[in-house]
């Protein structure tokens, strides 16, 4: 059975603009930035006790300036959740990365099965 995706041609910017314009509720996880001194390999970003600081931005990260996301003094590397799956398959990514970059990073597949 196939599902209808009404936004197949939407870019990340299109999606966030739509959410903002129409007051679409978004996952509160989008309000957090994870600041650290050095990059953390994507396959390790799910581990507990990582050397980063979780910061509540008070609004979705796409509504923040780069300076707000990086903090003061600016963090060397900052990650955000652009996409959410389950805790075993989703990790935060750098703000400039694709929302798909944090999905299924430790697995060969790229979709959960619902969309395939």
């Amino acid at each position: 059975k196939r599902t209808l995706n009404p936004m197949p041609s939407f870019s990340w910017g299109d999606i966030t603009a739509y959410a903002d314009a129409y007051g679409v509720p978004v996952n509160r996880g989008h309000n957090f930035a994870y600041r650290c001194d050095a990059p953390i390999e994507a396959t390790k970003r799910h581990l507990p006790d990582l050397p980063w600081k979780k910061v509540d931005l008070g609004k979705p990260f796409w509504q923040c300036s780069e300076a707000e996301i990086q903090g003061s003094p600016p963090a060397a590397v900052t990650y955000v959740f652009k996409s959410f799956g389950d805790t075993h398959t989703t990790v935060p990514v750098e703000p400039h990365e694709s929302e798909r970059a944090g999905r299924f990073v430790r697995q060969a597949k790229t979709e959960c099965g619902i969309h395939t």
Side-chain angles (χ1 to χ4, degrees):
K1 177 180 175 182
R2 294 192 112 10
T3 58
L4 171 66
N5 180 354
M7 300 183 276
S9 62
F10 276 35
S11 69
W12 174 256
D14 294 335
I15 291 169
T16 57
Y18 184 93
D20 290 346
Y22 294 97
V24 176
V26 297
N27 189 311
R28 182 155 156 58
H30 288 301
N31 291 16
F32 295 97
Y34 299 81
R35 299 174 182 154
C36 49
D37 295 328
I40 299 171
E41 184 180 327
T43 58
K44 299 195 183 314
R45 289 185 214 147
H46 69 290
L47 298 172
D49 303 320
L50 289 172
W52 60 25
K53 181 179 179 184
K54 181 180 177 180
V55 178
D56 188 344
L57 301 169
K59 57 188 173 185
F61 72 88
W62 60 82
Q63 295 175 356
C64 297
S65 68
E66 187 173 332
E68 288 175 297
I69 293 172
Q70 290 180 335
S72 180
V77 182
T78 306
Y79 299 106
V80 296
F81 275 101
K82 290 181 90 173
S83 178
F84 291 94
D86 62 47
T87 59
H88 306 291
T89 62
T90 308
V91 297
V93 298
E94 291 186 62
H96 68 273
E97 291 183 287
S98 163
E99 61 274 13
R100 302 298 301 163
R103 300 292 301 272
F104 300 102
V105 294
R106 295 175 311 284
Q107 300 179 18
K109 64 183 185 173
T110 60
E111 290 287 346
C112 65
I114 294 172
H115 302 101
T116 57

